Amino acid sequence: MPNPVTGRAAPGAMYSARTRVHSEAVLRSFYAFHLEEGTGPIINPFPAGRDRRPAAAGGSAQRSGGGRYRPSVPARLPRRIPDHRFNELFAALRYHRDRALLAFWVSNGARAEELLTSCQSDPLPGDQLLGVIRKGTRAYQQLPSFPDAFVWLRLYQEEAWRAGVPRDPTAKLWRTLRRFRPLTYHAARAMLNRANALLGANWTLHDLRHTATYRMHGIRSWR
């Protein structure tokens, strides 16, 4: 049944169409690689699909980029968190660290794991930039962020420094609240799930990235 707050359906007994599409693409590429290297079977069990267009006279059927067993995925708009729901989610957070994380995720559009790569020297409040390491290229990039995100960040930093976190420019910016270990993706997701439990919601960290994109598009359209 769909969640009454988010409208997102709960996980069912079967894998979703998007999960099956991703798995089919991975397996087809895996077997294609080993066929090319001569280390796999002589036939790819996940062949590419044939083009629906008729082949030219004397020609063979063309192959399309998709797989023959690739399921169709219904087109839909990316899910975002409406403003009033985001305010509820933000109010359900207990710590300045969590508020700072949410404010950055929804303002600069970084992936959840990318934001966790920042070090103490990476925030530049005067320029409203936060440095992260991008997921695919592993390149360092400074992302523009909203001013209020840096306000919550400063509140979190002051709290952490008073608790004993060392002021080290090369140390990780985001840490656990008890033993001050570097914050992991799974710990950040658990933080969001605790807020979800209070609201009866099932928002995900990736929903924050969609929300940031939606807000950026609204700002550009307004300008």
Side-chain angles (χ1 to χ4, degrees):
M1 295 294 294
N3 184 278
V5 177
T6 66
R8 182 198 302 275
M14 304 291 291
Y15 288 112
S16 69
R18 293 182 182 277
T19 301
R20 285 183 279 129
V21 164
H22 176 74
S23 300
E24 188 273 340
V26 170
L27 290 169
R28 178 159 39 87
S29 301
F30 172 80
Y31 284 109
F33 169 79
H34 283 286
L35 272 172
E36 200 171 300
E37 296 293 321
T39 56
I42 60 174
I43 297 177
N44 191 332
F46 295 89
R50 292 189 177 91
D51 200 328
R52 293 184 178 181
R53 294 174 298 177
S60 59
Q62 299 179 355
R63 299 272 183 184
S64 67
R68 188 186 302 176
Y69 306 123
R70 187 183 184 91
S72 59
V73 179
R76 62 177 178 83
L77 293 174
R79 187 180 301 277
R80 68 177 180 91
I81 306 177
D83 290 345
H84 70 286
R85 293 299 187 187
F86 177 80
N87 293 339
E88 294 173 354
L89 180 63
F90 196 85
L93 301 175
R94 298 175 55 190
Y95 304 105
H96 292 323
R97 181 206 63 184
D98 303 342
R99 299 182 185 108
L101 281 167
L102 217 68
F104 276 111
W105 273 322
V106 84
S107 66
N108 59 29
R111 294 180 176 87
E113 60 269 29
E114 290 175 346
L115 190 63
L116 300 179
T117 62
S118 297
C119 296
Q120 291 188 26
S121 60
D122 290 328
L124 301 176
D127 299 324
Q128 297 181 20
L129 296 173
L130 178 68
V132 301
I133 297 177
R134 302 316 298 252
K135 179 181 178 182
T137 62
R138 307 304 299 170
Y140 180 78
Q141 185 175 2
Q142 292 177 314
L143 303 178
S145 305
F146 290 161
D148 60 337
F150 291 97
V151 175
W152 291 112
L153 174 62
R154 187 62 179 183
L155 291 172
Y156 154 63
Q157 286 181 307
E158 291 290 344
E159 197 173 62
W161 289 331
R162 287 196 302 268
V165 175
R167 297 179 182 238
D168 183 359
T170 62
K172 290 296 183 182
L173 177 62
W174 309 104
R175 292 176 173 270
T176 58
L177 299 174
R178 293 183 180 178
R179 299 185 180 180
F180 310 125
R181 296 173 179 172
L183 193 68
T184 64
Y185 172 82
H186 297 290
R189 188 172 62 179
M191 171 270 294
L192 184 66
N193 287 339
R194 285 192 293 270
N196 276 331
L198 292 175
L199 301 173
N202 60 354
W203 301 115
T204 66
L205 293 175
H206 199 66
D207 290 334
L208 297 169
R209 181 171 166 85
H210 290 170
T211 305
T213 304
Y214 180 86
R215 291 185 176 186
M216 291 175 189
H217 177 74
I219 291 173
R220 287 196 298 267
S221 299
W222 178 76
R223 287 179 179 175

